[in-house]
Amino acid sequence: MTPPDPTAEHHQWWRDAVVYQVYVRSFADSDGDGIGDLPGITSRLPYLRDLGVDAVWITPFYTSPQHDHGYDVADYRDVDPLFGSLADADELLGRAHELGLRVIVDLVPNHTSSEHAWFRAAVAAGPGSPERARYLFRAGRGPDGSEPPNNWLSVFGGPAWTRLPDGEWYLHLFDATQPDLDWRNPEVPAMFEEVLRFWLDRGVDGFRIDVAHGLFKEETLRDQVRPAGETAPAPGSAPAPGDSMVARTLADEPMWDQPEVHEIYRSWHRILDEAGPDKMAVAEAWTQTPESMARFVRPDELDQAFNFSWLLADWSAEAFRDVITGTLEAVAPVGAAPTWVLSNHDVVRHPTRYGGGAQGLARARAATLTMLALPGSSYVYQGEELGLAQVDVAPEHRQDPSWFRTGEPGRDGCRVPIPWSGAEPPFGFGPGPDQPWIPQPAGWSALTVEAQTRAEGSTLEFYRAALAARRTFAATAGEDVEMIGDDEAVLAFRRGPVTVVLNCGTAPAALPPGDVFAASGDLPGGVLPPDTAVWLR
Ligand code: GLC
């Protein structure tokens, strides 16, 4: 594979890329402290090249007190010592580019850490100060101001406001250690422009924009209208594990998806363009409709947005068909490439979502194969290529801030460190002899990269084969998808030279004519068993 050539004719590489998400803490540990780090990632880049992905998205590794594992940034322009140094980041970028891999880093603009210099200064400076005006500080309600300024709820549970000893409240749509910035204060966009330039200068290829639909809130900070007694997270927010946002009705969301945010993305588009034609940004935007999602990816804004409707779809041919058609219709008018994702660090791993066990895994592989045939780019989450299921993490090991705020299990179960090799924990995750920051299940010895390499029928070899097969057609197959029939149990479509069939039913299905060149499982007797997908040519 040839490394990216910055002088090559403008190719929007992300339009058909497979991007591999690395959750820094849990990918590979170089120094034996039980926590993944940047040198650990660098050492495993050849594995990712050989797996056949095009790019790596790395979750936040900046200076942070780690209350939300890096999504609480105290210094956007430095590396947390837990994960290494700026020199390690440079080394990672250089090595990735040598191997032909692009690197996307996470940008967290909705909130800082409460340990960011700005927030510390705001607390010290007191009410009415310019330091407080970078965040959303307000007086409380009620005669003594002891009621929060409005009724908003944190995505992680409980009120979205915390009161300081001097009586003022500050807004945090996530944890109390993640104060929301006031994007109407010009100092805020100015600071993030510097942050973008800082990482572009170091050579990153793109940014994943955290909570891209947040940033601006309705200026009055009015109450949210919601059904009496509702205490669940605001509907437009990242879902709690197991949440279904498919069936939600349009909600009143004064805290999300305000029109002003698009001006910011237009300015970021210009900054990325100045840095070169091959820089991109992908939005994490939980919006209410496909149309509102498409606004984030207009030609002069961000390049992509995660398409969570694929991840949220039920195991049903009809549901998958609707999501494919709806997604392509939504992005077509703005000319953006669609995206697809089944797992990430915030949701229950897809084999578990599909029922767990052998059937859940078969379905997960089938959904993955179907996804990889679709036009646009696919995002895969570390460990899904090993068929890892959600782990039931014991309460004493849980670290997700939402666990502390709600008592719900939270997201730790999809963040257990990767098993690389060997027969017992830490399964080659790092040089330490002990369990890593979240203990790995003993049963993972059969799921290590080592155990699955060259093992017939393993999930890892399935991913390698599927990604290799994808390379033979994806870049040139075009972006049109033609649905074949509307069977209740079987999804079938054609894209370029490829026919894809996914059996979501309970009976074997007949295969259309063509040569099989990728399959998610065995095809005994030349028919397509339930919970299986196939590509034919
Ligand atoms: C995004 C991240 C999630 C984080 C939250 C707050 O949804 O994916 O992990 O907790 O933003 O930054």
Side-chain angles (χ1 to χ4, degrees):
M1 195 186 310
T2 41
D5 173 3
T7 62
E9 200 186 318
H10 187 184
H11 166 60
Q12 297 190 324
W13 59 269
W14 58 87
R15 290 191 77 97
D16 52 43
V18 175
V19 183
Y20 184 99
Q21 180 191 352
V22 166
Y23 192 70
V24 186
R25 290 179 83 82
S26 303
F27 189 61
D29 169 22
S30 72
D31 58 8
D33 64 356
I35 295 175
D37 47 42
L38 297 185
I41 300 172
T42 305
S43 73
R44 296 293 185 181
L45 289 173
Y47 164 77
L48 297 180
R49 191 261 327 264
D50 295 344
L51 181 60
V53 302
D54 304 291
V56 189
W57 149 35
I58 306 175
T59 59
F61 47 79
Y62 321 109
T63 315
S64 160
Q66 303 290 319
H67 292 298
D68 189 18
H69 294 164
Y71 285 97
D72 48 326
V73 182
D75 183 349
Y76 291 86
R77 282 174 269 198
D78 207 349
V79 173
D80 197 286
L82 199 56
F83 302 131
S85 63
L86 277 174
D88 292 327
D90 292 341
E91 169 96 20
L92 190 163
L93 283 161
R95 184 75 184 117
H97 290 158
E98 270 166 32
L99 293 170
L101 293 166
R102 310 274 183 168
V103 179
I104 298 172
V105 296
D106 225 305
L107 187 74
V108 189
N110 180 67
H111 44 264
T112 69
S113 158
S114 51
E115 292 186 23
H116 189 280
W118 273 8
F119 194 75
R120 287 168 178 270
V123 171
S129 60
E131 287 83 355
R132 287 214 174 172
R134 293 168 177 148
Y135 293 89
L136 291 159
F137 280 90
R138 293 291 183 273
R141 292 200 286 205
D144 56 355
S146 64
E147 301 287 318
N150 69 24
N151 70 346
W152 296 3
L153 299 169
S154 156
V155 174
F156 293 159
W161 295 90
T162 289
R163 196 178 198 191
L164 291 182
D166 61 34
E168 269 207 325
W169 297 76
Y170 65 90
L171 178 73
H172 52 87
L173 293 178
F174 295 89
D175 192 52
T177 61
Q178 294 167 299
D180 280 55
L181 288 159
D182 184 354
W183 274 83
R184 291 191 173 79
N185 181 333
E187 286 186 64
V188 173
M191 191 261 268
F192 278 93
E193 291 188 3
E194 292 309 310
V195 173
L196 285 170
R197 290 202 172 92
F198 179 86
W199 290 102
L200 287 166
D201 286 348
R202 297 198 102 86
V204 306
D205 301 289
F207 297 91
R208 177 259 189 195
I209 314 299
D210 188 63
V211 197
H213 59 308
L215 281 60
F216 287 85
K217 287 78 184 162
E218 249 187 62
E219 202 164 5
T220 58
L221 300 185
R222 65 166 175 89
D223 274 350
Q224 177 183 33
V225 180
R226 56 171 188 260
E230 189 180 303
T231 54
S237 54
D243 251 17
S244 168
M245 301 211 308
V246 183
R248 73 181 197 213
T249 47
L250 290 192
D252 178 46
E253 298 189 324
M255 67 290 281
W256 306 119
D257 201 9
Q258 300 299 307
E260 293 92 328
V261 80
H262 297 290
E263 194 47 54
I264 298 297
Y265 296 140
R266 280 189 277 271
S267 69
W268 290 7
H269 187 99
R270 291 191 290 271
I271 292 173
L272 264 60
D273 258 5
E274 279 162 25
D278 56 351
K279 308 293 180 187
M280 61 82 80
V282 54
E284 184 215 22
W286 294 90
T287 67
Q288 297 206 26
T289 62
E291 294 74 34
S292 54
M293 197 255 279
R295 285 201 282 272
F296 287 80
V297 293
R298 287 177 286 196
D300 59 348
E301 296 197 31
L302 304 176
D303 301 288
Q304 295 188 326
F306 292 124
N307 174 16
F308 294 118
S309 52
W310 182 249
L311 168 162
L312 294 165
D314 289 335
W315 180 256
S316 125
E318 222 178 322
F320 287 132
R321 193 178 293 123
D322 286 352
V323 169
I324 294 171
T325 314
T327 300
L328 298 177
E329 278 171 7
V331 293
V334 290
T339 68
W340 313 96
V341 60
L342 285 163
S343 277
N344 64 34
H345 66 295
D346 291 329
V347 300
V348 172
R349 283 186 176 277
H350 60 290
T352 306
R353 286 205 315 273
Y354 293 140
Q359 185 182 48
L361 181 58
R363 290 180 171 183
R365 287 167 55 148
T368 298
L369 191 67
T370 307
M371 166 176 94
L372 291 174
L374 289 166
S377 57
S378 285
Y379 284 78
V380 300
Y381 176 51
Q382 65 179 37
E384 69 172 76
E385 79 278 22
L386 305 177
L388 299 186
Q390 190 79 359
V391 175
D392 191 6
V393 177
E396 65 272 25
H397 294 301
R398 291 182 192 153
Q399 301 202 16
D400 184 342
S402 74
W403 155 249
F404 297 111
R405 290 179 66 90
T406 64
E408 297 294 326
R411 301 164 293 177
D412 297 306
C414 63
R415 299 173 173 181
V416 179
I418 295 300
W420 291 94
S421 58
E424 53 193 54
F427 297 119
F429 172 67
D434 302 325
Q435 281 281 18
W437 70 280
I438 302 181
Q440 298 160 315
W444 275 12
S445 57
L447 297 178
T448 64
V449 170
E450 183 181 54
Q452 293 197 49
T453 295
R454 287 182 289 278
E456 210 192 313
S458 74
T459 301
L460 179 57
E461 291 303 342
F462 156 69
Y463 267 75
R464 286 179 175 150
L467 290 168
R470 175 185 160 100
R471 275 180 187 261
T472 64
F473 77 93
T476 53
E479 294 187 1
D480 292 336
V481 169
E482 184 198 336
M483 286 294 162
I484 306 172
D486 58 356
D487 194 275
E488 245 181 55
V490 179
L491 170 76
F493 62 84
R494 200 168 294 120
R495 178 182 168 218
V498 181
T499 301
V500 179
V501 191
L502 165 68
N503 188 351
C504 297
T506 51
L511 283 174
D515 296 328
V516 173
F517 76 110
S520 66
D522 291 336
L523 306 173
V527 292
L528 185 65
D531 305 321
T532 310
V534 72
W535 293 352
L536 302 130
R537 198 159 34 185

mmCIF file of all heavy atoms in Angstrom, residues 68 71 111 156 174 178 208 210-211 238 284 345-346 411 415, ligand 1:
data_model
loop_
_atom_site.group_PDB
_atom_site.id
_atom_site.type_symbol
_atom_site.label_atom_id
_atom_site.label_comp_id
_atom_site.label_asym_id
_atom_site.label_seq_id
_atom_site.Cartn_x
_atom_site.Cartn_y
_atom_site.Cartn_z
ATOM 1 N N ASP A 68 -14.329 11.699 32.490
ATOM 2 C CA ASP A 68 -15.079 11.044 31.409
ATOM 3 C C ASP A 68 -14.067 10.495 30.398
ATOM 4 O O ASP A 68 -14.260 10.580 29.198
ATOM 5 C CB ASP A 68 -16.054 12.031 30.759
ATOM 6 C CG ASP A 68 -17.017 11.345 29.790
ATOM 7 O OD1 ASP A 68 -17.167 10.104 29.873
ATOM 8 O OD2 ASP A 68 -17.608 12.042 28.942
ATOM 9 N N TYR A 71 -12.874 12.863 27.607
ATOM 10 C CA TYR A 71 -13.863 13.780 27.050
ATOM 11 C C TYR A 71 -14.073 14.969 27.993
ATOM 12 O O TYR A 71 -15.032 15.720 27.876
ATOM 13 C CB TYR A 71 -15.178 13.068 26.713
ATOM 14 C CG TYR A 71 -15.043 12.226 25.456
ATOM 15 C CD1 TYR A 71 -14.790 10.856 25.530
ATOM 16 C CD2 TYR A 71 -15.113 12.813 24.202
ATOM 17 C CE1 TYR A 71 -14.637 10.100 24.376
ATOM 18 C CE2 TYR A 71 -14.965 12.064 23.043
ATOM 19 C CZ TYR A 71 -14.724 10.706 23.132
ATOM 20 O OH TYR A 71 -14.564 9.960 21.990
ATOM 21 N N HIS A 111 -17.697 21.378 25.751
ATOM 22 C CA HIS A 111 -17.373 21.632 27.149
ATOM 23 C C HIS A 111 -15.886 21.440 27.357
ATOM 24 O O HIS A 111 -15.233 20.747 26.584
ATOM 25 C CB HIS A 111 -18.146 20.662 28.054
ATOM 26 C CG HIS A 111 -18.133 19.242 27.528
ATOM 27 N ND1 HIS A 111 -19.154 18.728 26.762
ATOM 28 C CD2 HIS A 111 -17.205 18.246 27.609
ATOM 29 C CE1 HIS A 111 -18.857 17.476 26.415
ATOM 30 N NE2 HIS A 111 -17.674 17.158 26.910
ATOM 31 N N PHE A 156 -25.955 12.419 31.467
ATOM 32 C CA PHE A 156 -25.488 11.380 32.390
ATOM 33 C C PHE A 156 -26.379 11.254 33.637
ATOM 34 O O PHE A 156 -26.005 10.606 34.597
ATOM 35 C CB PHE A 156 -24.050 11.675 32.837
ATOM 36 C CG PHE A 156 -23.014 11.570 31.742
ATOM 37 C CD1 PHE A 156 -21.792 12.207 31.864
ATOM 38 C CD2 PHE A 156 -23.243 10.820 30.593
ATOM 39 C CE1 PHE A 156 -20.822 12.112 30.874
ATOM 40 C CE2 PHE A 156 -22.284 10.726 29.592
ATOM 41 C CZ PHE A 156 -21.075 11.372 29.729
ATOM 42 N N PHE A 174 -23.307 17.288 30.419
ATOM 43 C CA PHE A 174 -22.775 15.965 30.761
ATOM 44 C C PHE A 174 -22.428 15.987 32.256
ATOM 45 O O PHE A 174 -23.223 16.447 33.055
ATOM 46 C CB PHE A 174 -21.610 15.612 29.816
ATOM 47 C CG PHE A 174 -22.086 15.462 28.391
ATOM 48 C CD1 PHE A 174 -22.147 16.553 27.523
ATOM 49 C CD2 PHE A 174 -22.542 14.234 27.924
ATOM 50 C CE1 PHE A 174 -22.637 16.416 26.226
ATOM 51 C CE2 PHE A 174 -23.035 14.083 26.633
ATOM 52 C CZ PHE A 174 -23.077 15.184 25.785
ATOM 53 N N GLN A 178 -17.664 18.696 33.494
ATOM 54 C CA GLN A 178 -17.610 19.052 32.070
ATOM 55 C C GLN A 178 -18.472 20.292 31.803
ATOM 56 O O GLN A 178 -19.523 20.206 31.154
ATOM 57 C CB GLN A 178 -18.099 17.876 31.212
ATOM 58 C CG GLN A 178 -17.172 16.649 31.296
ATOM 59 C CD GLN A 178 -17.811 15.404 30.715
ATOM 60 O OE1 GLN A 178 -18.855 14.942 31.198
ATOM 61 N NE2 GLN A 178 -17.208 14.833 29.683
ATOM 62 N N ARG A 208 -12.832 14.251 14.593
ATOM 63 C CA ARG A 208 -14.170 13.762 14.939
ATOM 64 C C ARG A 208 -14.699 14.789 15.949
ATOM 65 O O ARG A 208 -14.067 15.038 16.978
ATOM 66 C CB ARG A 208 -14.060 12.361 15.539
ATOM 67 C CG ARG A 208 -15.384 11.762 16.017
ATOM 68 C CD ARG A 208 -15.513 11.874 17.519
ATOM 69 N NE ARG A 208 -16.653 11.140 18.048
ATOM 70 C CZ ARG A 208 -17.123 11.336 19.271
ATOM 71 N NH1 ARG A 208 -16.548 12.207 20.090
ATOM 72 N NH2 ARG A 208 -18.153 10.650 19.704
ATOM 73 N N ASP A 210 -16.900 15.978 18.709
ATOM 74 C CA ASP A 210 -17.712 15.454 19.803
ATOM 75 C C ASP A 210 -18.924 16.363 20.039
ATOM 76 O O ASP A 210 -18.785 17.591 20.058
ATOM 77 C CB ASP A 210 -16.840 15.415 21.072
ATOM 78 C CG ASP A 210 -17.517 14.709 22.236
ATOM 79 O OD1 ASP A 210 -17.786 13.512 22.108
ATOM 80 O OD2 ASP A 210 -17.764 15.359 23.277
ATOM 81 N N VAL A 211 -20.094 15.759 20.215
ATOM 82 C CA VAL A 211 -21.316 16.511 20.522
ATOM 83 C C VAL A 211 -21.462 17.712 19.569
ATOM 84 O O VAL A 211 -21.699 18.843 20.004
ATOM 85 C CB VAL A 211 -21.355 16.983 21.996
ATOM 86 C CG1 VAL A 211 -22.763 17.374 22.417
ATOM 87 C CG2 VAL A 211 -20.864 15.898 22.945
ATOM 88 N N ALA A 238 -26.662 11.714 23.335
ATOM 89 C CA ALA A 238 -26.149 10.369 23.134
ATOM 90 C C ALA A 238 -26.964 9.416 23.998
ATOM 91 O O ALA A 238 -27.268 9.723 25.143
ATOM 92 C CB ALA A 238 -24.690 10.307 23.539
ATOM 93 N N GLU A 284 -20.213 14.005 15.382
ATOM 94 C CA GLU A 284 -21.089 13.205 16.222
ATOM 95 C C GLU A 284 -22.286 14.090 16.520
ATOM 96 O O GLU A 284 -22.221 14.972 17.369
ATOM 97 C CB GLU A 284 -20.404 12.799 17.534
ATOM 98 C CG GLU A 284 -21.294 11.885 18.354
ATOM 99 C CD GLU A 284 -21.190 12.068 19.864
ATOM 100 O OE1 GLU A 284 -20.772 13.143 20.322
ATOM 101 O OE2 GLU A 284 -21.550 11.148 20.589
ATOM 102 N N HIS A 345 -17.727 3.446 21.473
ATOM 103 C CA HIS A 345 -17.438 3.374 22.907
ATOM 104 C C HIS A 345 -18.597 3.835 23.780
ATOM 105 O O HIS A 345 -18.450 3.901 24.998
ATOM 106 C CB HIS A 345 -16.195 4.220 23.207
ATOM 107 C CG HIS A 345 -16.450 5.694 22.975
ATOM 108 N ND1 HIS A 345 -16.714 6.206 21.728
ATOM 109 C CD2 HIS A 345 -16.528 6.739 23.820
ATOM 110 C CE1 HIS A 345 -16.936 7.511 21.830
ATOM 111 N NE2 HIS A 345 -16.821 7.849 23.086
ATOM 112 N N ASP A 346 -19.723 4.193 23.178
ATOM 113 C CA ASP A 346 -20.867 4.682 23.953
ATOM 114 C C ASP A 346 -22.046 3.721 23.955
ATOM 115 O O ASP A 346 -23.034 3.978 24.648
ATOM 116 C CB ASP A 346 -21.361 6.022 23.383
ATOM 117 C CG ASP A 346 -20.387 7.165 23.613
ATOM 118 O OD1 ASP A 346 -19.674 7.152 24.635
ATOM 119 O OD2 ASP A 346 -20.344 8.075 22.765
ATOM 120 N N ARG A 411 -21.332 2.589 30.346
ATOM 121 C CA ARG A 411 -20.710 2.191 29.090
ATOM 122 C C ARG A 411 -19.417 1.394 29.255
ATOM 123 O O ARG A 411 -18.748 1.086 28.267
ATOM 124 C CB ARG A 411 -20.440 3.456 28.260
ATOM 125 C CG ARG A 411 -21.695 4.255 27.946
ATOM 126 C CD ARG A 411 -21.378 5.656 27.477
ATOM 127 N NE ARG A 411 -20.775 6.448 28.560
ATOM 128 C CZ ARG A 411 -20.341 7.702 28.446
ATOM 129 N NH1 ARG A 411 -20.443 8.333 27.286
ATOM 130 N NH2 ARG A 411 -19.817 8.337 29.467
ATOM 131 N N ARG A 415 -15.828 -1.139 26.816
ATOM 132 C CA ARG A 415 -14.519 -0.471 26.859
ATOM 133 C C ARG A 415 -13.434 -1.340 27.493
ATOM 134 O O ARG A 415 -12.396 -0.836 27.910
ATOM 135 C CB ARG A 415 -14.660 0.835 27.654
ATOM 136 C CG ARG A 415 -15.650 1.801 27.033
ATOM 137 C CD ARG A 415 -15.915 3.005 27.900
ATOM 138 N NE ARG A 415 -16.748 3.989 27.213
ATOM 139 C CZ ARG A 415 -17.127 5.152 27.716
ATOM 140 N NH1 ARG A 415 -16.742 5.487 28.936
ATOM 141 N NH2 ARG A 415 -17.864 5.986 27.017
HETATM 142 C C1 GLC B 1 -19.761 12.009 23.284
HETATM 143 C C2 GLC B 1 -18.736 10.923 23.529
HETATM 144 C C3 GLC B 1 -18.961 10.357 24.886
HETATM 145 C C4 GLC B 1 -18.776 11.454 25.900
HETATM 146 C C5 GLC B 1 -19.698 12.630 25.593
HETATM 147 C C6 GLC B 1 -19.315 13.845 26.382
HETATM 148 O O1 GLC B 1 -21.052 11.525 23.222
HETATM 149 O O2 GLC B 1 -18.795 9.973 22.503
HETATM 150 O O3 GLC B 1 -18.110 9.283 25.159
HETATM 151 O O4 GLC B 1 -19.063 10.958 27.177
HETATM 152 O O5 GLC B 1 -19.630 13.006 24.248
HETATM 153 O O6 GLC B 1 -18.140 14.421 25.871
#
